[in-house]
Amino acid sequence: MKVKVISRSTDEFTRERSQDLQRVFRNFDPSLRSQERAVEYVRALNAAKLDKIFARPFIGAMDGHRDSIKCMAKNPNYLKAIFSGSDDGDIRLWDIASRRTVCQFPGHQGAVQGLTVSTDGSILVSCGSDSTVRLWNISDANHADSDNLSDNSAKPQAVYVWKNAFRAVDHQWDGDLFATAGAQVDIWNHNRSQPVNTFDWGADTTISIRFNPGEPNILATSANDRSITLYDLRMSSPARKVIMRTKTNSIAWNPMEPMNFTAANEDCNCYSYDARKLEEAKCVHKDHVSAVMDIDFSPTGREFVTGSYDRTVRIFQYNGGHSREIYHTKRMQRVFCVKYSCDASYVISGSDDTNLRVWKAKASEQLGVVLPRERKKHEYLEAVKNRYKHLPEVKRIVRHRHLPRPVYKAANLRRTMIEAERRKEQRRKAHSAPGSIVTEPVRKRRIIKEVE
């Protein structure tokens, strides 16, 4: 004879501490929980509303510069350090945690246009409109005491004087080379006072330059002639070039998909490209109402942040057409540079009002230590919100943002102009012979030609 007995482990229902909640076992059979969808929908609605209530993205400002901040660089080996350069030639190292200046790097006689840090975190490279490239040893500066600011001023390890002003600089992700942009593209070595290689394709000034994170010998540049050019250091000539209708101010490679890059353009949009197929953009990222000045990818490669002339900072999904977040303050002026922190938790922006501002990458994220039960609760609410995000009420709450009045009016005007242009195109097509007018998508329309 078989006797079935109920057996349970005491660990399953015994509390570890007296303060713990008693564990409740539930039967998830759908037939027993007929109101499950309704309950989850209400939870998703409440989670979306709570996100708005707890959205406090602005953490603080870092004040110290006396002129517009034009460039920033982060140290890949030191999480809470950020370098910034301004129009008066001042370079500063900031401690993000305490929001104070750790070290200053005096020497430039003009605007600092570019900053970059070597992969090992030991060398800072700066360039500016005074036609000099300066190398700084930052091994000790990262750990300096911010209380003794007067003593924390470094001297350059090397100074290279060149014949043209510089507009940007970037260091190889793996190697000892760095590249400068200006009247031409120059490739430098740490130990050489002259460029080891020079590229020149077109007569206009190169304004931004970025090395590929996956292939150390590939770099992309943008120039004043509205071109985006790809270079290969193993070749004696540039590889490919695409000319757009408007100028590209900055370029950022996706660190997780190194074949893709996104360009910040003057026409208020960002364009994502596959470097192997430049005749068409993969995605067009819209929402800004003025020129996009800088762009930087998150270390996860799933999002990027942009700073614009319209005095706002926006965060986009890497494959999303519209921004998921917009940050602004009353005092913030034109944003010239933005960076993601190395842990993807924060965004740092530098603007025309001489301030660096620190923002949370997720506006309603809880700072400090999160207990395991809190973390599970947050993950559950996020999952429920994603499950019902297509429903109208949840979608409306999640997408709603308060905009500054000038941005709101400019967005409405821009929307009206685009809609009028679309209607005009439809009427022209309706009153023309079938097939005589072909409408090009925006992904192709903004590209004039591709040169190889």
Side-chain angles (χ1 to χ4, degrees), residues 385-450:
K385 201 168 57 176
N386 286 334
R387 183 177 181 183
Y388 293 96
K389 65 182 179 182
H390 61 283
L391 295 178
E393 191 64 15
V394 178
K395 189 177 186 179
R396 181 187 67 81
I397 295 172
V398 169
R399 290 186 58 185
H400 178 70
R401 293 290 182 278
H402 287 289
L403 299 177
R405 184 169 293 178
V407 175
Y408 180 76
K409 288 184 175 180
N412 282 343
L413 178 62
R414 184 172 170 78
R415 200 177 301 117
T416 303
M417 294 166 60
I418 292 173
E419 184 64 22
E421 189 178 346
R422 186 185 64 82
R423 284 199 308 270
K424 185 176 180 181
E425 187 72 23
Q426 285 179 345
R427 289 168 183 166
R428 184 184 288 120
K429 186 183 290 188
H431 292 83
S432 303
S436 61
I437 295 180
V438 180
T439 304
E440 273 191 317
V442 183
R443 298 189 304 275
K444 290 186 176 180
R445 196 186 310 157
R446 303 302 300 176
I447 299 172
I448 297 177
K449 65 177 180 178
E450 183 186 2

Side-chain angles (χ1 to χ4, degrees), residues 217-439:
N217 294 309
I218 302 293
L219 67 148
T221 66
S222 66
N224 275 333
D225 61 355
R226 302 167 297 165
S227 65
I228 299 174
T229 312
L230 298 179
Y231 295 88
D232 191 339
L233 301 186
R234 296 164 294 190
M235 300 170 61
S236 58
S237 62
R240 302 176 73 185
K241 183 178 186 178
V242 59
I243 299 175
M244 301 186 67
R245 293 191 182 275
T246 45
K247 186 175 68 173
T248 296
N249 289 316
S250 184
I251 291 174
W253 293 91
N254 189 330
M256 292 292 109
E257 299 173 357
M259 75 291 293
N260 298 330
F261 66 88
T262 303
N265 207 270
E266 283 274 331
D267 65 352
C268 315
N269 298 334
C270 297
Y271 298 88
S272 291
Y273 289 95
D274 188 330
R276 303 163 297 184
K277 186 183 177 185
L278 290 176
E279 64 267 13
E280 180 182 356
K282 291 183 64 178
C283 186
V284 180
H285 312 275
K286 307 176 180 180
D287 268 351
H288 280 295
V289 297
S290 191
V292 187
M293 303 304 296
D294 197 18
I295 182 172
D296 188 49
F297 261 95
S298 163
T300 61
R302 312 306 290 178
E303 291 181 339
F304 62 86
V305 60
T306 58
S308 172
Y309 213 73
D310 62 11
R311 300 176 293 179
T312 62
V313 175
R314 290 184 184 263
I315 298 176
F316 292 83
Q317 300 285 346
Y318 78 105
N319 57 357
H322 294 278
S323 61
R324 73 157 179 86
E325 202 64 76
I326 175 171
Y327 295 154
H328 56 88
T329 66
K330 288 183 178 179
R331 296 182 180 182
M332 187 163 70
Q333 298 301 312
R334 299 167 295 187
V335 181
F336 288 122
C337 51
V338 287
K339 288 290 180 188
Y340 251 103
S341 65
C342 292
D343 60 352
S345 298
Y346 303 98
V347 167
I348 300 99
S349 66
S351 56
D352 208 10
D353 57 1
T354 73
N355 279 339
L356 274 80
R357 288 177 173 82
V358 184
W359 314 80
K360 287 190 283 188
K362 294 180 181 176
S364 58
E365 187 179 28
Q366 180 180 342
L367 295 179
V369 179
V370 180
L371 298 176
R373 284 185 57 221
E374 285 180 309
R375 188 176 66 251
K376 287 182 181 178
K377 177 70 171 177
H378 292 162
E379 290 171 356
Y380 169 72
L381 291 179
E382 193 67 29
V384 169
K385 201 168 57 176
N386 286 334
R387 183 177 181 183
Y388 293 96
K389 65 182 179 182
H390 61 283
L391 295 178
E393 191 64 15
V394 178
K395 189 177 186 179
R396 181 187 67 81
I397 295 172
V398 169
R399 290 186 58 185
H400 178 70
R401 293 290 182 278
H402 287 289
L403 299 177
R405 184 169 293 178
V407 175
Y408 180 76
K409 288 184 175 180
N412 282 343
L413 178 62
R414 184 172 170 78
R415 200 177 301 117
T416 303
M417 294 166 60
I418 292 173
E419 184 64 22
E421 189 178 346
R422 186 185 64 82
R423 284 199 308 270
K424 185 176 180 181
E425 187 72 23
Q426 285 179 345
R427 289 168 183 166
R428 184 184 288 120
K429 186 183 290 188
H431 292 83
S432 303
S436 61
I437 295 180
V438 180
T439 304

